[in-house]
Amino acid sequence: MIVIFQLSIIFAFLALGELTVWLTGIPVPSSVVGMLLLAAALQGGVVKLRQVEGTADFLVRNLGFFFVPAGVGLMEHFGLIREQWLPIVVAAAVSTVLPGGFISYVENICRAMVEESNILGNSYVLLALTFAVFIVASRLSRRWGNVFFNPILITIVVLIAVLKLGGVSYSSYAAGGDLISFWLKPAVVALGVPLYRQLASIRRQALFILMAELAGCVAGIVSVVLVAQWLGASREVVLSLASKSVTTPIAMEVTQAVGGIPALSAAVVVCVGIFGGMTGFRVMAISGVRSPVAQGLSMGTAAHAVGTSMAISAAGYRYGAWASLGLTVNGMLTAMLTPSILSLMGV
């Protein structure tokens, strides 16, 4: 009963986010708006922390898992990725690392047989398979601690291989996978809890955070465009990569507005999140970045919700609060600035 009560509060704020976006038309996902509203309600005492804490913490801890079905969707775009894999991979990788560096710097300074038998064609079997693979992958990750044993990456790769070998389409998988993806928005709303826990620190450093986020946003957009152009990517691909460091709804909306391919943007967003989540803390350690604020902001900005999930798993909720803030601010800045920056760069 407690879980149902706490879920009802979280979904209420998701609904408020949907209503706010519908009324205002702001280019921000309803889940992000709901997250901010929840944090504000907690700060104002309208909602008590004990009324949402348990369920919110569970959703936030498992945020990365809710990205698995979207990652499996990469199999729908293998053709385009195969044609222009070099500029896509290099540009996405370079521009994922660079924003973290800028943010840290500024912040420190300021298939048929199987289908016939209806085994893998059953959505509940596919759903159970997703859970099973992710649980095994998570245990492998905790046991060996190797960067390549990322549970999200392993789950996506294994599921794509199974679906391809079994001749199962992504649409068949999505019938079960959508039950997992459904929880992504509530999980983002739940990020309002760790954000609320750090509101006092955020207020004290608001100017520095905004400067850092602006630097990281611009660096991410400019670097991915320049690298993709240098490697000969088509204009459509360049436009599709520009918003690759934000959550999928923002990325697809921005890409649609500038004339790119939203489906490609969605696929790249997932890859960038996994790459950033796997390498982010290691890159910052090599670079000598020690500040929890800089590390958290960098993970949320460069690797969106997946990076935020990794930050919480690796370093705790304090880092997760800064990562969720980076995710939010970078998403809004990217939505507002991408068209202008692309225009100034002559794209």
Side-chain angles (χ1 to χ4, degrees), residues 18-314:
E18 294 277 359
L19 181 61
T20 301
V21 171
W22 179 72
L23 290 173
T24 64
I26 57 174
V28 180
S30 58
S31 55
V32 173
V33 175
M35 174 186 70
L36 297 174
L37 291 174
L38 177 57
L42 286 165
Q43 178 65 19
V46 177
V47 176
K48 305 300 181 183
L49 185 59
R50 58 180 171 77
Q51 295 177 314
V52 294
E53 190 170 26
T55 302
D57 286 347
F58 170 79
L59 291 172
V60 170
R61 281 197 307 269
N62 294 281
L63 183 60
F65 174 63
F66 304 137
F67 265 91
V68 168
V72 177
L74 284 170
M75 62 188 289
E76 293 282 271
H77 310 291
F78 280 163
L80 182 59
I81 294 173
R82 189 184 302 115
E83 290 175 5
Q84 303 194 45
W85 68 270
L86 184 59
I88 291 174
V89 171
V90 176
V94 170
S95 62
T96 299
V97 173
L98 275 182
F102 273 85
I103 285 175
S104 302
Y105 178 74
V106 175
E107 191 278 339
N108 284 332
I109 297 177
C110 357
R111 197 173 285 193
M113 186 175 67
V114 177
E115 285 187 326
E116 285 176 10
S117 63
N118 204 30
I119 300 297
L120 287 180
N122 186 293
S123 60
Y124 294 106
V125 171
L126 293 171
L127 185 63
L129 179 63
T130 303
F131 276 96
V133 175
F134 186 81
I135 291 171
V136 172
S138 297
R139 290 182 177 178
L140 289 175
S141 179
R142 286 194 297 268
R143 183 169 184 174
W144 284 298
N146 189 287
V147 67
F148 295 107
F149 281 97
N150 178 278
I152 304 173
L153 177 62
I154 293 175
T155 305
I156 290 172
V157 171
V158 170
L159 288 174
I160 289 178
V162 170
L163 296 179
K164 283 291 185 180
L165 291 173
V168 181
S169 67
Y170 176 69
S171 59
S172 297
Y173 171 78
D178 285 347
L179 297 175
I180 297 174
S181 300
F182 168 82
W183 291 99
L184 182 57
K185 283 189 174 184
V188 173
V189 173
L191 286 171
V193 172
L195 188 62
Y196 158 74
R197 290 169 177 156
Q198 297 295 325
L199 275 181
S201 297
I202 292 169
R203 281 196 295 263
R204 290 195 300 268
Q205 305 177 69
L207 180 59
F208 299 137
I209 291 170
L210 183 58
M211 292 171 61
E213 285 297 315
L214 181 60
C217 175
V218 174
I221 297 171
V222 172
S223 61
V224 74
V225 170
L226 291 177
V227 173
Q229 288 180 324
W230 178 57
L231 291 172
S234 67
R235 182 174 182 272
E236 276 191 324
V237 169
V238 172
L239 294 173
S240 304
L241 291 175
S243 59
K244 56 96 189 86
S245 285
V246 296
T247 56
T248 303
I250 299 179
M252 295 183 70
E253 186 173 332
V254 171
T255 300
Q256 182 73 44
V258 299
I261 308 170
L264 176 59
S265 293
V268 174
V269 162
V270 175
C271 294
V272 164
I274 295 171
F275 176 75
M278 290 170 59
T279 62
F281 280 111
R282 292 179 182 271
V283 171
M284 286 185 283
I286 294 171
S287 304
V289 178
R290 297 289 182 265
S291 165
V293 179
Q295 290 183 344
L297 286 173
S298 297
M299 290 296 288
T301 299
H304 53 84
V306 177
T308 301
S309 175
M310 295 294 183
I312 293 171
S313 299

